[in-house]
């Protein structure tokens, strides 16, 4: 999979595409997989890198959403639990189950959470992950040795899924490509074209690497631009009522010593009524998140001081070693594309209460909306439910475009890299390279050909040089940031280590992509600017 071949496909394309998808996050790539696997002819355009938006900035949980259960939204939880099961089934190299412990400090919490989490387990039916149960104080501390013991009575354990969001997305991009879709990063959709009746019949776009502009005709155009959805809808219909309420969430990343053991902590009600997770992730501790309404979405959101302080203070209430600013290895912010309570939304969304002042109470359900101009928008939902969102969207888009009816086939479609070995065996044999699934053999071949590629890029992180070469050659990494933020997760795990690695990564990418010295210097400068948002100032 490389950009040159993708361009050749576009240039050789004689007629209108069955479907053009705008946006290369979980939603857009999910739609591309679904449509291509049904046999439709699909083009996906992403203005930046795949996953540059929210889809690399999540809590990385494949979950039903325990909190939505508390809100009484059983249908939403059941749907997500089923999707969680399908994700594990189809991408076992990237998704795995994880024990979550809800610590109890009041007498009523054990029966209350014990019962709720048992229901959560039962709702998963045959897609269940593990048996939830009430824990004694000792058992709770066996799961979470670094949990504060003061006032601790016990806990309740339940099981959910965890994954690497950007890595799953890249494997999904390859899956869509293998199913016949054409996908390009660094191509911005600048406008929509319409036929004589005023129906959207294509997009105008600009290759942000070369500045070249082109037009792609389509029988239907799908807007999967997440928090940016309204911007594109306004291009189709200047009077369109906004659908999206953007809400920011941040995470802080610390050393693994803050959360020892293999389990995560789930705090169902923080001081301001939100949920907080502390999770072991790639040998580090990930803590989040917040839910702060913001005025407008940006591609590189920045954590606010009060969000950082809130997470530090709340984590300090539960962990024996209270983290400080100096302990933060990385901070990252993402924007939830929540769907507005009223307005233009139609289709499959439901259950949105109006008049809410906090975004944490807004619906996490998804919407497929068709504007009068035939422009299809799919938004809302969550990472876990991307497959179901795509199925709904392609069903409706195909009907609208009068494409030949074809059933959805993604329930059992394996994501690229589906491994032969079990997760435990792969982890034993390949260590941190196990997330590449079956691609690990190809990465090993690179190392066999040039043993220098086995060299680590930094003592604090597990990444080796071969991963950079692989990313540039086969995963359409175009910038130093693509490699350090989304092909590896260096920037998300340890911003200063990522900055140290950047020159070596730029050297390797320069050889692969033919960069001259000026380009290499520009790449490094651009990366340093982005990385400054991930490195917390003392
Ligand atoms: C803090 C936080 C934590 C979360 N945690 C979880 C979790 O643990 N589990 C879970 O299931 N869900 C979680 N979610 C939700 C989940 O991450 C999102 O629902 C999902 O990633 C949204 O994907 P998307 O593709 O719709 O949007 P995005 O990933 O934002 O993708 C939209 C893409 O469209 C592109 N784009 C925009 N305009 C244009 C244009 N004109 N031309 C071309 N491209 C364009 C953007 O560059 C972007 O890449 C979380 C969300 C947040 C914010």
């Amino acid at each position: 999979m490389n950009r040159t071949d993708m361009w050749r496909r576009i240039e050789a394309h004689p007629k209108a595409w069955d479907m053009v998808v705008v946006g290369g996050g979980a939603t857009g790539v999910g739609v591309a997989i679904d449509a291509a696997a049904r046999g439709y002819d699909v083009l996906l355009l992403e203005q930046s890198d795949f996953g540059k938006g929210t889809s690399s900035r999540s809590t990385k949980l494949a979950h039903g959403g325990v909190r939505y259960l508390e809100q009484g939204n059983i249908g939403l939880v059941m749907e997500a639990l089923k999707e969680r099961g399908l994700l594990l089934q189809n991408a076992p190299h990237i998704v795995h189950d994880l024990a979550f412990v809800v610590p109890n400090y009041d007498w009523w919490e054990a029966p209350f959470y014990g019962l709720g989490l048992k229901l959560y387990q039962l709702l998963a039916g045959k897609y269940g992950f593990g048996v939830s149960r009430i824990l004694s104080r000792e058992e709770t501390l066996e799961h979470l040795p670094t949990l504060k013991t003061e006032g601790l009575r016990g806990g309740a354990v339940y099981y959910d899924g965890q994954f690497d969001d950007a890595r799953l997305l890249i494997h999904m991009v390859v899956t869509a490509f293998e199913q016949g879709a054409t996908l390009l990063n660094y191509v911005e959709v600048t406008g929509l074209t319409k036929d004589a009746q005023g129906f959207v019949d294509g997009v105008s776009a600009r290759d942000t690497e070369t500045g070249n502009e082109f037009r792609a005709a389509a029988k239907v155009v799908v807007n999967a631009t997440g928090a940016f959805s309204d911007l594109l809808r306004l291009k189709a219909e200047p009077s369109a009522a906004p659908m999206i309420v953007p809400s920011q969430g941040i995470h802080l990343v610390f050393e693994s010593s803050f959360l020892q053991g293999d389990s995560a902590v789930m705090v169902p009600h923080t001081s301001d009524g939100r949920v907080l997770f502390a999770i072991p992730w790639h040998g580090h501790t990930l803590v989040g998140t917040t839910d702060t309404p913001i005025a407008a979405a940006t591609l590189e959101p920045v954590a606010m001081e009060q969000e950082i302080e809130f997470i530090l203070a709340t984590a300090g209430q539960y962990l024996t070693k209270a983290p400080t600013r100096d302990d933060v290895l990385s901070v990252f912010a993402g924007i939830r594309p929540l769907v507005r309570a009223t307005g233009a939304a139609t289709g499959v969304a439901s259950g949105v209460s109006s008049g809410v002042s906090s975004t944490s109470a807004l619906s996490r359900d998804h919407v497929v909306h068709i504007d009068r101009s035939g422009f299809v928008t799919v938004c809302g939902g969550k990472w876990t439910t991307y497959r179901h969102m795509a199925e709904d969207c392609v069903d409706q888009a195909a009907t609208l475009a009068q494409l030949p009816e074809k059933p959805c086939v993604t329930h059992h479609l394996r994501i690229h890299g589906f491994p032969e070995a079990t997760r435990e065996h792969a982890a034993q044999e390949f260590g941190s390279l196990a997330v590449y699934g079956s691609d690990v053999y190809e990465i090993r071949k690179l190392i066999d050909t040039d043993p220098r590629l086995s060299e680590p890029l930094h003592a604090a992180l597990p990444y080796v040089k071969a991963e950079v070469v692989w990313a540039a050659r086969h995963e359409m990494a175009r910038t130093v940031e693509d490699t350090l933020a989304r092909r590896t997760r260096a920037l998300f795990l340890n911003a200063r280590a990522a900055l140290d690695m950047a020159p070596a990564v730029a050297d390797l990418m320069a050889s692969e992509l033919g960069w001259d010295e000026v380009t290499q210097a520009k790449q490094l400068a651009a990366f340093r600017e982005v990385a400054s948002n991930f490195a917390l100032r003392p």
Side-chain angles (χ1 to χ4, degrees):
M1 190 181 74
N2 66 67
R3 212 160 182 269
T4 314
D5 285 347
M6 296 292 188
W7 273 117
R8 278 200 201 109
R9 280 188 179 192
I10 292 183
E11 280 153 15
H13 201 270
K15 51 182 176 28
W17 299 84
D18 286 339
M19 194 178 291
V20 168
V21 182
V22 191
T27 309
V29 177
V31 170
I33 294 175
D34 185 302
R38 292 190 204 207
Y40 300 137
D41 182 27
V42 186
L43 171 67
L44 179 144
L45 302 174
E46 161 57 48
Q47 65 178 356
S48 176
D49 185 27
F50 303 118
K52 168 72 177 180
T54 308
S55 296
S56 60
R57 301 160 182 272
S58 76
T59 314
K60 294 119 186 45
L61 300 182
H63 64 158
V66 172
R67 184 179 51 194
Y68 316 134
L69 195 62
E70 230 184 300
Q71 292 168 355
N73 202 337
I74 302 274
L76 186 68
V77 175
M78 278 186 84
E79 176 209 312
L81 286 172
K82 178 180 170 191
E83 293 301 323
R84 179 190 74 165
L86 293 178
L87 252 179
L88 178 66
Q89 169 197 289
N90 297 330
H93 45 317
I94 311 175
V95 184
H96 62 96
D97 60 343
L98 183 67
F100 287 76
V101 175
V102 181
N104 298 163
Y105 296 90
D106 265 314
W107 66 266
W108 57 268
E109 289 179 312
F112 181 76
Y113 291 120
L115 205 65
L117 293 170
K118 185 53 81 182
L119 175 63
Y120 187 71
Q121 175 203 322
L122 294 175
L123 288 176
K126 66 176 179 176
Y127 298 102
F129 268 39
V131 179
S132 67
R133 65 186 185 90
I134 292 174
L135 302 175
S136 67
R137 189 176 188 276
E138 289 66 35
E139 286 171 323
T140 303
L141 290 170
E142 270 166 35
H143 275 278
L144 301 170
T146 47
L147 188 69
K148 262 195 180 163
T149 51
E150 200 184 324
L152 182 73
R153 301 174 75 101
V157 64
Y158 72 99
Y159 294 83
D160 245 331
Q162 182 187 36
F163 66 114
D164 180 331
D165 47 10
R167 177 99 322 259
L168 176 59
L169 186 72
I170 300 304
H171 285 247
M172 284 165 53
V173 171
V174 185
T175 308
F177 170 68
E178 287 169 345
Q179 294 298 322
T182 302
L183 307 96
L184 270 172
N185 48 2
Y186 295 100
V187 174
E188 182 191 7
V189 169
T190 50
L192 299 161
T193 59
K194 290 185 179 173
D195 66 12
Q197 282 77 45
F199 284 102
V200 170
D201 68 354
V203 298
S204 36
R206 189 173 62 91
D207 178 351
T208 62
E209 289 191 351
T210 61
N212 289 344
E213 301 197 351
F214 67 100
R215 179 177 181 273
K219 293 177 188 159
V220 62
V221 179
V222 172
N223 174 14
T225 57
F228 301 94
S229 298
D230 287 331
L231 289 180
L232 214 54
R233 286 183 59 237
L234 285 174
K235 289 190 201 281
E237 265 179 53
S239 61
M243 293 170 65
I244 300 292
V245 183
S247 158
Q248 174 159 304
I250 75 150
H251 293 85
L252 302 182
V253 179
F254 305 100
E255 273 182 6
S256 61
S257 58
F258 285 90
L259 181 70
Q260 287 167 19
D262 294 330
S263 306
V265 184
M266 193 274 210
V267 178
H269 289 283
T270 54
S271 56
D272 64 353
R274 294 189 283 222
V275 173
L276 193 96
F277 292 102
I279 306 172
W281 187 60
H282 286 328
H284 291 70
T285 300
L286 178 70
V287 185
T289 179
T290 51
D291 209 332
T292 316
I294 52 169
T298 53
L299 209 47
E300 192 56 66
V302 179
M304 297 170 214
E305 271 308 308
Q306 71 264 29
E307 293 181 293
I308 296 166
E309 289 305 324
F310 171 79
I311 291 187
L312 285 174
T314 312
Q317 286 168 17
Y318 292 90
L319 303 176
T320 42
K321 191 162 71 157
T324 67
R325 292 180 78 83
D326 293 342
D327 299 313
V328 177
L329 300 176
S330 181
V331 49
F332 59 91
I335 301 174
R336 290 181 190 83
L338 301 177
V339 179
R340 201 172 273 278
T342 53
T346 57
V348 292
S350 61
V352 189
S353 59
S354 59
V356 286
S357 57
S358 141
T359 48
S360 58
L362 277 177
S363 174
R364 264 59 174 167
D365 217 337
H366 69 266
V367 167
V368 178
H369 172 75
I370 302 172
D371 280 306
R372 276 194 300 271
S373 59
F375 187 45
V376 179
T377 296
V378 53
C379 58
K382 51 186 176 170
W383 231 120
T384 311
T385 55
Y386 86 84
R387 194 211 60 81
H388 186 211
M389 292 170 72
E391 181 178 353
D392 280 342
C393 174
V394 176
D395 279 350
Q396 297 195 39
T399 306
L400 183 74
Q402 300 184 21
L403 300 176
E405 205 169 307
K406 293 176 182 173
C408 171
V409 296
T410 54
H411 286 84
H412 300 290
L413 184 74
R414 291 176 168 184
I415 298 298
H416 174 84
F418 188 95
E420 295 304 323
T422 63
R423 181 171 177 265
E424 289 70 25
H425 182 260
Q428 243 172 28
E429 199 179 346
F430 306 119
S432 62
L433 291 180
V435 287
Y436 289 91
S438 57
D439 281 347
V440 74
Y441 300 106
E442 297 302 316
I443 297 173
R444 280 269 176 97
K445 274 189 207 159
L446 286 178
I447 294 173
D448 290 344
T449 318
D450 181 356
R452 281 172 307 178
L453 294 180
S454 67
E455 287 168 16
L457 286 157
H458 198 282
L461 293 170
Y463 304 114
V464 295
K465 290 182 175 172
E467 291 175 78
V468 180
V469 173
W470 178 257
R473 251 182 233 178
H474 300 292
E475 295 185 334
M476 285 170 74
R478 304 296 298 173
T479 69
V480 168
E481 184 201 330
D482 297 349
T483 299
L484 284 169
R486 290 170 294 275
R487 303 308 182 279
T488 70
R489 305 313 307 273
L491 184 61
F492 284 73
L493 291 171
N494 187 328
R496 290 191 196 288
L499 279 162
D500 293 346
M501 290 156 71
V505 169
D507 270 349
L508 288 159
M509 291 188 78
S511 320
E512 287 300 314
L513 301 175
W515 294 344
D516 57 20
E517 276 179 25
V518 176
T519 311
Q520 208 170 321
K522 276 190 190 158
Q523 282 282 336
L524 278 174
F527 178 69
R528 286 189 186 116
E529 198 178 325
V530 170
S532 67
N533 294 326
F534 288 70
L536 202 61
R537 279 169 284 278

